[in-house]
Amino acid sequence: MTMRRWRTALAAMALAGGALAATAGTAGAVVPAEAGARAGTAGAGATACETGWGSGEKTAQPAGHTPLTNVRTGRHACFDRIVFDVRGATAAGPIGYRVGYVNALHQDGSGEEIPVGGGAILEIRVAAPSYDPGSGAESYPGRARKPLPGVDLTGYQTFRDTRFGASFEGDTQVGLGVRARLPFRVLQTDGHVVVDVAHSWTALR
């Protein structure tokens, strides 16, 4: 092989080696980054959820009856939430409630059945009328058999439907349609009764 051909061969080998090194460097940078992104997403999406709520009826005795002012809902990682805002209620004067699954929602007073969408119906009774007991003025604009005003359940994982039942003898009755008979809990804070319905029976989502 002449000196010219030898130099040409060396140059070609050097170029090929450089290209391979560049390709290997790029692959090494991309693959770990993609793997890290996937791992990070999986880690962020795995949420430990509480267990042990059960699906049995839950009750609390009232200290009095104060007006219901609003009902609203929210989505969380492990559950869907419905909140009853009650004027003037405090931890020292708890709000009575009875929450449990029923086969059908029957309106307080009339006994008429109110259709509620979903795979199961959670009946919620809160010791807070939709009117001021003193003046009789309306405090919450719920209407029998109608969805709760201002509540949009689009995109919810567990909630399917809401229906206002009645405000009768100091209690407000609401039908909550859910995907299935799932665990739930009831919490109280100053001015609020909170019902959380789990997305599933499992502890990890």
Side-chain angles (χ1 to χ4, degrees), residues 163-179:
R163 296 289 157 171
F164 189 84
S167 197
F168 183 72
E169 294 184 346
D171 289 353
T172 291
Q173 174 197 33
V174 166
L176 177 64
V178 297
R179 191 182 75 251

Side-chain angles (χ1 to χ4, degrees), residues 39-69:
T41 301
T47 302
C49 299
E50 291 186 45
T51 58
W53 295 354
S55 60
E57 185 178 83
K58 297 169 178 63
T59 63
Q61 294 301 312
H65 295 266
T66 52
L68 174 71
T69 58

